[in-house]
């Protein structure tokens, strides 16, 4: 509306005056809203304007129209990209869980709400979500719980891939209609927001979907391991049920701690081998008959690695809380061992009375024993939220880390529980009494997510120490072996126990440590194999001495009469397993197969069970010792089974770390 003054022909003013007419302003008078009236009235008012006014209005109109068109075009693009991005975001959010499942994370680190995080900032302690509860392996296809997860994952991944292919098609169609003056812009020429580029990179390629993960069927050699296990188990069940060790020849048993050691050590092997019935039966025994409230002295190290380790790994594999409860019970009962002046634990604990003491003849503990209980107690803390377990064992490692008396990272064999100092200085070995100290340096570092640098430093330094002081080559085959150092004198003696080392070195290399560790592992596993191959029965003795000088008619390996027994130990097959996992070289499987056949030939007792033997050099009479060690079922047969498997997800080494008794424990992921 224009002012009534303008309507009355008042002098032209070069500005627009917009005022309301009196009637309209008052809202009174006849209301005529007819189209014709409105048109006429507008036209009249337009004519009443000056040319300048009309030009200004027209200019403004055109200007606003042009702005409108431009902003519509660019808003459209922005809107489109926002819409696309939000679709992408939605898709990514949906994909992430699936893709995470495709590579299922290792078990998340459980946390405890009120845990003191200051000591271990990288961890937060929380009770874990137990794995899906399934009380046993289902069948010989080894449908252990992680297999179901894997299959589900594959299904989900494939679905994710299909969806992405569809989404990609839609996106391409959308992009191909983006045009500017009729020119079609090819999608790859278009400028996309960086976020959608990243999304593109994260998509699994529809052309090369991730590895198909069908269940890997059990092969002949694995079946042979299952058969061996069943035979051993038959002997244990018939003659030693619920006792520590089978005496297969006398069809009886021996007691060490009186805690069903073989049964507990074998639980997770049965799970892994898929022996459901045997597992269920053993579980019943654990539920009804395993009692720790006993006036009995146990060795802290042995009961930790076999019982605590066995219960914890079985808990993880089966998800059955019974095993965690039992683990807590034994863990608590072992704690008095740490009540020493130095906090270096005593070797023996009475689990019924809650008292601990060193061996009768000394106040020393063995270095390997006090430094190879950490994986288990740390895991127990993580699961229970009770830090006392971890604190106790971490204290030992911190103490040993700064202790003097090492030789380029190599440790003596004894440590005093009063003074906390190394004793019997000057003797260095990778064998008995020191072996698993080195193994646990690396494995704790891996378990904790590779953050505890002191452990890594000590490990790396020690391997340099091994290279500098303990490596030599034998004659005539020039086998590299790990000898011992006693007060500056090199001894060409190597325990079978040292054969854990190639596997540990390979595990370190797999976790990013020096590549020359892998080379050394390859050389050393050949030596360990020769410790079997050069012997008459094809079985290694407990200790060998290597020839440093070529002598006619002499092999590399010499065996002293006192050392020619074989206890069915696992270390070589353990290392073969790691070597095969990391290299895929079938020769390692073949070597393991030879060893299994020789165990069957010389140590198998027809009525059930396997026995350690006294003389690996006499195939016609290997002199059975009448004892089946619990680690034959806990370790040796388990590593054999895993060695013969081509399924890297059967105890995936990026998710689990084996304790020194072959019980797999989860590698922690940051919370
Ligand atoms: C097992 O109890 C463990 O492997 C330990 O670390 C060494 N001795 C036996 C097997 O030989």
């Amino acid at each position: 509306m224009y002012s009534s003054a303008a309507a009355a022909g008042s002098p032209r003013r070069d500005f627009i005056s917009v005022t309301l007419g009196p009637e309209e302003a008052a809202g009174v008078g006849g209301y005529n809203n007819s189209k014709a009236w409105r048109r006429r009235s507008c036209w009249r008012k337009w004519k009443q304007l000056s040319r300048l006014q009309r030009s200004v209005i027209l200019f403004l109109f055109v200007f606003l129209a042009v702005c409108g068109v431009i902003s519509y075009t660019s808003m459209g693009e922005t809107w489109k990209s926002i819409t696309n991005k939000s679709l992408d975001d939605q898709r990514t959010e949906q994909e992430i869980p699936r893709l995470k499942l495709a590579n299922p994370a290792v078990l998340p680190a459980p946390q405890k709400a009120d845990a003191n995080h200051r000591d271990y900032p990288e961890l937060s302690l929380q009770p874990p979500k137990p794995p899906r509860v399934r009380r046993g392996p289902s069948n010989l296809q080894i449908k252990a719980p992680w297999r179901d997860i894997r299959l589900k994952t594959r299904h989900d991944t494939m679905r994710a891939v299909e969806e992405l292919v569809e989404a990609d098609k839609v996106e391409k169609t959308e992009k191909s209609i983006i045009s500017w003056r009729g020119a079609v812009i090819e999608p790859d020429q278009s400028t996309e927001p960086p976020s959608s580029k990243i999304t593109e990179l994260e998509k699994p390629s529809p052309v090369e979907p991730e590895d198909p993960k069908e269940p890997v069927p059990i092969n002949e050699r694995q079946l042979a391991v299952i058969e061996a296990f069943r035979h051993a188990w038959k002997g244990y069940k018939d003659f030693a049920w619920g006792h520590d060790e089978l005496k297969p020849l006398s069809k009886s048993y021996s007691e060490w701690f009186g805690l069903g050691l073989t049964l507990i050590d074998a639980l997770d092997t049965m799970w892994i081998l898929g022996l459901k019935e045997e597992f269920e039966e053993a579980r019943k025994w654990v539920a009804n008959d395993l009692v720790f409230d006993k006036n009995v002295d146990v060795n802290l190290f042995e009961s930790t690695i076999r019982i605590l380790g066995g219960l914890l790994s079985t808990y993880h594999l089966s998800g059955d809380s019974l095993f965690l409860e039992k683990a807590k019970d034994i863990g608590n009962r072992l704690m008095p061992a740490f009540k020493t002046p130095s906090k270096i634990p005593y070797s023996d604990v009475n689990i019924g009375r809650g008292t601990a003491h060193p061996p009768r003849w000394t106040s020393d503990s063995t270095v390997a024993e006090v430094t190879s209980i950490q994986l288990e107690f740390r895991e127990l803390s993580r699961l229970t939220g009770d830090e006392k377990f971890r604190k106790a064992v971490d204290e030992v490692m911190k103490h040993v880390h700064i202790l003097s008396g090492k030789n380029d990272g190599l440790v003596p064999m004894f440590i005093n529980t009063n003074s906390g100092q190394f004793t019997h200085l000057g003797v260095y070995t990778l064998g008995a009494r020191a072996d698993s100290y080195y193994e646990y340096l690396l494995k704790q570092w891996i378990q904790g997510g590779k953050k505890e640098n002191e452990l890594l430093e000590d490990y790396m330094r020690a391997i340099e120490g091994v290279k500098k002081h303990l490596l030599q080559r034998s004659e005539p085959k020039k086998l590299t072996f790990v000898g011992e150092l006693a007060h500056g004198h090199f001894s060409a003696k190597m325990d079978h126990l040292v054969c854990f080392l190639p596997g540990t070195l390979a595990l370190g290399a797999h976790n990013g440590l020096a590549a020359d560790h892998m080379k050394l592992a390859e050389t050393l596993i050949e030596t360990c194999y020769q410790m079997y191959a050069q012997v008459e029965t094809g079985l290694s003795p407990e200790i060998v001495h290597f020839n440093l000088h070529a002598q006619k008619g002499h092999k590399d390996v010499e065996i002293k009469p006192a050392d020619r027994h074989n206890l069915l130990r696992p270390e070589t097959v353990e290392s073969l397993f790691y070597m095969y996992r990391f290299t895929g070289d079938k020769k390692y499987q073949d070597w393991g197969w030879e060893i299994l056949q020789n165990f069957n030939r010389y140590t198998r007792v027809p009525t059930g069970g396997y026995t350690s033997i006294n003389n690996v050099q006499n195939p016609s009479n290997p002199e059975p010792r009448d004892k089946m060690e619990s680690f034959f079922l806990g370790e040796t047969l388990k590593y054999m089974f895993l060695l013969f498997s081509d399924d890297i997800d059967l105890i995936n080494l990026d998710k689990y770390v084996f304790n020194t008794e072959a019980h797999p424990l989860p590698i922690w992921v940051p919370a």
Side-chain angles (χ1 to χ4, degrees), residues 301-302 305-306 435-436 439 496-497 569-571 574 631 635 660-662:
F301 164 73
E302 297 291 357
I305 65 168
R306 301 185 200 214
D435 49 359
S436 43
E439 179 188 349
H496 183 272
L497 288 169
R569 283 197 192 277
E571 290 76 17
E574 168 185 352
F631 51 70
E635 295 193 71
T660 193
E661 189 75 6

Side-chain angles (χ1 to χ4, degrees), residues 154 157-159 161-162 204-213:
R154 178 175 176 262
T157 307
M158 293 313 289
R159 255 184 44 203
V161 170
E162 280 162 23
S205 155
V207 185
E208 286 174 0
E210 72 159 25
D211 274 358
K213 284 183 178 161

Side-chain angles (χ1 to χ4, degrees), residues 78-97:
T78 314
W79 181 249
K80 195 185 232 172
S81 83
I82 288 169
T83 316
N84 283 348
K85 188 175 175 318
S86 85
L87 281 173
D88 278 347
D89 287 349
Q90 279 172 25
R91 208 164 36 227
T92 313
E93 274 164 27
Q94 286 158 5
E95 278 153 26
I96 286 168

Side-chain angles (χ1 to χ4, degrees), residues 461-528:
R461 199 166 294 142
I463 299 305
E464 288 311 303
V466 170
K467 288 195 228 163
K468 185 168 167 191
H469 300 288
L470 303 182
L471 287 188
Q472 288 269 1
R473 294 176 87 189
S474 66
E475 293 293 345
K477 284 202 162 174
K478 308 213 182 301
L479 303 173
T480 300
F481 68 94
V482 185
E484 297 183 355
L485 197 64
H487 310 291
H489 294 289
F490 180 80
S491 159
K493 164 181 178 276
M494 179 164 156
D495 294 354
H496 183 272
L497 288 169
V498 182
C499 287
F500 81 92
L501 187 60
T504 299
L505 286 168
L507 181 64
H510 174 74
N511 279 279
L513 303 188
D516 73 328
H517 285 201
M518 191 63 189
K519 289 251 169 312
L520 183 56
E522 283 166 2
T523 324
L524 289 175
I525 190 62
E526 166 78 38
T527 306
C528 290

Side-chain angles (χ1 to χ4, degrees), residues 84 87-88 91-92 94-95 159-175 199-200 203 206:
N84 283 348
L87 281 173
D88 278 347
R91 208 164 36 227
T92 313
Q94 286 158 5
E95 278 153 26
R159 255 184 44 203
V161 170
E162 280 162 23
E163 279 175 23
L164 283 166
V165 174
E166 277 309 306
D168 214 35
K169 275 186 202 159
V170 172
E171 217 169 13
K172 273 188 181 142
T173 323
E174 278 174 8
K175 280 178 187 167
T199 311
E200 197 74 32
K203 290 172 189 169

